[in-house]
Amino acid sequence: MNPAPESIRLLPGAAASPVILHVPHSSRVIPDSVRGGIVLDDRELEQELDHITDSHTADIAEAAAAGCVLTPWRFVNGLSRLVIDPERFPDEREEMLAVGMGAVYTRTTHRERLRADGFDARPLIERYFHPYADAMTRAVEDRLEAVGRAVIIDVHSYPTEPLPYELHGAGPRPPICLGTDPFHTAPGLLAAAEKAFAGFGGTGLDSPFAGTYVPLEHYGKDRRVAALMVEIRRDVYMSEPGGPAGPGLLAPAAALAELVDGLRP
């Protein structure tokens, strides 16, 4: 099954670049067919989107790509994570199932009902999750074929104050959180990120969010696929919870560009 056209945007970079900037949570778009399964009224839904959306992260990735010597590729989710969350495991491995936030959310950031009890998530998984995963897998394999390696950099943001859905919200909330994977995040990649983002008052590691995205086809199997998550605390660049970006957006974009340039062949 082919994905909906608006659900995936692969923006080409330089042929020699191994880097894919992955932006999974920046959109607020929910198709009408999906909106019908959400029990929130319009005002409540807008408030939830304010909290759950990594607002302006697509703009940060775009500005970073424009500032790079060797343009990275960008893989951008065109739909809200309230449709499906492409970064969740689609099965019982996903710890966020404990708060109703697996691949298809049934609860909100405040642990209130988002979808009806007993909601059948399978049509959304088939329509959106699997095609997204397949497209990202192809994007990674294209980089492997072209340059022999792929570096996925997840571009995220998170709120200054913890939200009730967070399972690990009691830990540090630094301006920049770097999420790692023991198999796919090499020490050199982490060191490069720590250097690039050093000017924000310090970086933290895997708190309040840990891990990074790798397609399941490669996850834990292929060391040619490197990955790192960059979580930017929202007060660094925008008005919370869902307000406009400010001039602070340019600083994380420049740091991200520095990181990408440091990964050139």
Side-chain angles (χ1 to χ4, degrees):
M1 181 181 292
N2 293 323
E6 72 274 21
S7 66
I8 296 169
R9 288 180 286 159
L10 178 60
L11 302 164
S17 175
V19 178
I20 301 171
L21 298 180
H22 182 220
V23 188
H25 294 159
S26 64
S27 177
R28 297 172 68 100
V29 174
I30 300 174
D32 290 342
S33 59
V34 179
R35 173 67 179 94
I38 293 175
V39 301
L40 304 180
D41 64 31
D42 288 347
R43 180 185 62 82
E44 293 168 335
L45 179 57
E46 286 302 307
Q47 291 176 339
E48 179 61 14
L49 287 168
D50 285 346
H51 290 298
I52 199 64
T53 304
D54 290 353
S55 299
H56 316 297
T57 49
D59 296 330
I60 291 173
E62 181 179 10
C68 290
V69 175
L70 193 65
T71 305
W73 297 63
R74 284 180 287 145
F75 194 101
V76 182
N77 186 6
L79 297 180
S80 168
R81 63 197 291 191
L82 296 185
V83 180
I84 57 97
D85 190 332
E87 296 215 315
R88 303 288 198 240
F89 287 112
D91 52 35
E92 67 281 353
R93 288 174 291 178
E94 181 51 59
E95 70 168 357
M96 295 301 291
L97 286 170
V99 290
M101 288 183 144
V104 175
Y105 298 175
T106 58
R107 293 293 184 269
T108 70
T109 51
H110 289 74
R111 302 199 180 196
E112 297 169 349
R113 191 172 65 156
L114 179 72
R115 291 183 166 97
D117 294 341
F119 180 83
D120 184 3
R122 289 174 297 180
L124 293 181
I125 295 291
E126 290 299 319
R127 181 73 181 97
Y128 295 105
F129 184 93
H130 291 316
Y132 187 104
D134 290 345
M136 185 63 178
T137 300
R138 290 194 298 272
V140 168
E141 291 179 346
D142 181 71
R143 294 298 85 216
L144 292 175
E145 182 177 348
V147 297
R149 65 186 181 119
V151 183
I152 303 167
I153 300 177
D154 261 344
V155 184
H156 290 259
S157 71
Y158 73 96
T160 304
E161 299 296 329
L163 291 168
Y165 83 95
E166 295 182 25
L167 293 179
H168 310 288
R173 303 180 81 82
I176 305 294
C177 165
L178 301 175
T180 66
D181 179 87
F183 188 92
H184 292 281
T185 307
L189 174 57
L190 179 58
E194 289 173 333
K195 179 181 178 182
F197 287 96
F200 291 84
T203 59
L205 193 64
D206 291 318
S207 177
F209 297 99
T212 188
Y213 179 82
V214 176
L216 292 178
E217 185 74 19
H218 304 279
Y219 182 66
K221 305 171 187 175
D222 192 341
R223 292 192 184 276
R224 297 177 301 164
V225 181
L228 178 77
M229 178 171 67
V230 176
E231 288 266 8
I232 307 163
R233 202 176 63 202
R234 290 175 188 161
D235 64 337
V236 168
Y237 72 93
M238 64 172 284
S239 298
E240 297 182 83
L249 181 145
L250 297 177
L256 186 57
E258 179 183 338
L259 171 59
V260 171
D261 281 342
L263 303 175
R264 282 183 292 159

